[in-house]
Amino acid sequence: MKNKKWSFRAPVEYETNSLGWNSFVIVPNAISDDVRKTVKDRRIIATFNDVIVQHCAMMPKGNDTYFIFVSKELHKKLDILKGEEVDIAIKPDTSKYGVPMDEEMKVVFQEEPLAFNFFERLTPGKQRALIHIVKKVKNPDLRIKKSLTIAEHLIRNKGKLDFKELNEDFRRS
């Protein structure tokens, strides 16, 4: 089932809520039903318009309806407007963390096995959040610096992750 793939075409929809606006694509029910039977945690790899690949999750909207977020960054890259249709191909995400870890972070964890052990004990969502913090940095030297700060934070706090404190650690480093 790892090699299973689905594809569909759907309009980009918008919805306003207390957090602002959200942009998303509704996954057809037949596909979302099949994905949920195949993928245990709804983690998928979505390819938009045969160009942009993104690790993401198929999220519940209610009434057995599922959607995929379209981030502002993705929105700009796709150069799409409200209501425009996009082609989407999805497949199960079989990566260990639901998103690929950058080499810099891997190297830091190889050098700091205690930090890696603490990282491995975190929830999958917290693991992905930390990977994303490093991944969004373009400069490799800064990715190493962020990874080191995360490792030090995990060791100092014996595996407890405090995002507020971690952000202060980033400012100090």
Side-chain angles (χ1 to χ4, degrees):
M1 290 293 192
K2 288 182 191 179
N3 297 328
K4 192 150 190 174
K5 294 180 183 179
W6 304 267
S7 59
F8 60 97
R9 184 171 180 79
V12 175
E13 299 184 30
Y14 293 85
E15 189 173 90
T16 341
N17 60 31
S18 60
L19 301 174
W21 64 273
N22 286 318
S23 181
F24 57 92
V25 175
I26 297 289
V27 179
N29 287 345
I31 293 175
S32 67
D33 289 346
D34 200 28
V35 170
R36 288 187 355 250
K37 290 175 190 169
T38 307
V39 182
K40 70 175 177 134
D41 59 1
R42 299 186 319 265
R43 297 296 306 171
I44 56 173
I45 297 173
T47 304
F48 295 85
N49 289 344
D50 294 322
V51 178
I52 299 170
V53 178
Q54 164 176 301
H55 290 255
C56 55
M58 194 177 67
M59 303 296 295
K61 187 165 174 35
N63 299 328
D64 286 331
T65 302
Y66 286 80
F67 67 95
I68 300 170
F69 274 116
V70 177
S71 68
K72 288 180 184 180
E73 180 185 347
L74 178 61
H75 212 278
K76 287 178 186 175
K77 286 180 181 176
L78 290 171
D79 191 27
I80 51 175
L81 300 172
K82 178 181 179 179
E84 282 190 70
E85 290 193 339
V86 291
D87 292 313
I88 301 172
I90 58 177
K91 63 182 182 179
D93 185 340
T94 58
S95 65
K96 183 173 182 177
Y97 303 111
V99 63
M101 184 185 290
D102 284 305
E103 280 304 310
E104 293 85 356
M105 193 172 200
K106 287 179 186 175
V107 168
V108 167
F109 281 146
Q110 286 171 353
E111 296 295 318
E112 295 288 352
L114 180 57
F116 181 66
N117 286 336
F118 287 138
F119 176 82
E120 287 286 295
R121 292 183 194 147
L122 295 172
T123 64
K126 288 180 180 178
Q127 290 171 337
R128 282 191 298 275
L130 292 177
I131 291 169
H132 181 70
I133 287 169
V134 173
K135 181 174 280 319
K136 70 181 182 180
V137 177
K138 302 289 183 228
N139 182 310
D141 292 335
L142 291 177
R143 283 196 299 267
I144 292 170
K145 190 174 180 181
K146 289 252 187 210
S147 298
L148 284 168
T149 301
I150 289 168
E152 291 166 1
H153 177 86
L154 290 172
I155 292 170
R156 184 178 65 248
N157 292 308
K158 297 179 177 53
K160 299 284 188 242
L161 182 59
D162 179 333
F163 282 105
K164 185 176 178 182
E165 185 181 323
L166 181 60
N167 282 328
E168 290 171 14
D169 292 345
F170 289 138
R171 278 190 274 277
R172 285 192 293 267
S173 66

